[in-house]
Amino acid sequence: MTEADWSRWMEAAQAGDAQAYRLVLGEAQAWLRRFFLKRLPPSMVDDAVQDTLMAVHEKRHTFDPSQKFGPWIAAIARYKWIDRLRAARRTQTTLLDETVAVGDHEEQVTTAHALEKLLAQLKPGPAEAIRLVKLQGLSIEEAARRTGQSATLVKVNIHRGLSRMSTLVIGGNDGE
């Protein structure tokens, strides 16, 4: 394929020859791929090729058949290349270190399990009050509405439940 072929095909494409248009776009795609592979990271090449082919399609009416096709498409490709570089600079990416440590959740899981075991040893009223207020973050009034207890009873249940849990943790196992 020569420069004259490109120009002739583009002129025919402007006149409505679909086959010539397919030929020029096929050759342009191969040329653009080589062009961008020398200038961009491999992950950006396909998008740059597609953007440039879209621009060629949109601007095909501006091609002057008395001029050479190569410089015309090279100018479009150059602008798309610059656009890609600007976009890459705006969205700086940082490669993640593959050796980043991931926190161990063993302590949280063990603590949650131990807490549930302690709560299971309480009477239902204190256990529910502690879950709602201390673990779920509800206010005393919200817990009272949810349980049907008075706000004072919720406070008493929390106090009694926490005291019982403290006794259980310290080692006492006497009745409630």
Side-chain angles (χ1 to χ4, degrees):
M1 185 216 53
T2 67
E3 179 72 37
D5 292 332
W6 272 28
S7 298
R8 192 173 56 255
W9 291 339
M10 189 61 178
E11 183 177 8
Q14 286 176 318
D17 185 338
Q19 178 62 25
Y21 194 46
R22 276 192 293 280
L23 285 171
V24 78
L25 288 180
E27 291 295 325
Q29 183 175 13
W31 182 85
L32 289 167
R33 185 155 186 71
R34 290 188 305 272
F35 176 87
F36 288 121
L37 276 171
K38 294 176 187 174
R39 292 164 176 84
L40 293 172
S43 63
M44 297 174 76
V45 170
D46 288 337
D47 288 340
V49 169
Q50 291 305 313
D51 284 350
T52 308
L53 288 174
M54 289 298 297
V56 166
H57 179 72
E58 291 169 359
K59 301 292 182 187
R60 68 189 182 276
H61 66 279
T62 67
F63 174 69
D64 180 358
S66 67
Q67 302 296 313
K68 292 183 177 183
F69 182 79
W72 182 79
I73 196 171
I76 294 171
R78 183 177 173 275
Y79 285 116
K80 292 300 176 181
W81 171 53
I82 291 168
D83 289 347
R84 287 279 161 186
L85 293 177
R86 285 181 182 140
R89 189 176 63 203
R90 279 191 305 270
T91 58
Q92 287 291 331
T93 55
T94 306
L95 294 177
L96 295 177
D97 183 6
E98 292 182 17
T99 61
V100 173
V102 176
D104 185 5
H105 300 295
E106 180 181 3
E107 183 179 341
Q108 289 89 348
V109 171
T110 303
T111 302
H113 180 68
L115 183 58
E116 280 304 318
K117 283 181 71 174
L118 287 170
L119 287 169
Q121 295 181 51
L122 301 179
K123 291 182 180 178
E128 185 177 19
I130 291 170
R131 280 189 183 96
L132 292 173
V133 175
K134 299 298 183 182
L135 299 179
Q136 294 179 17
L138 272 61
S139 68
I140 298 291
E141 293 74 25
E142 291 170 323
R145 281 193 297 276
R146 180 139 342 146
T147 62
Q149 302 172 1
S150 68
T152 303
L153 184 54
V154 170
K155 290 179 188 177
V156 169
N157 275 332
I158 291 171
H159 175 73
R160 287 181 180 165
L162 292 175
S163 293
R164 176 70 181 136
M165 289 170 69
S166 178
T167 301
L168 291 169
V169 168
I170 292 172
N173 203 12
D174 54 335
E176 290 182 63

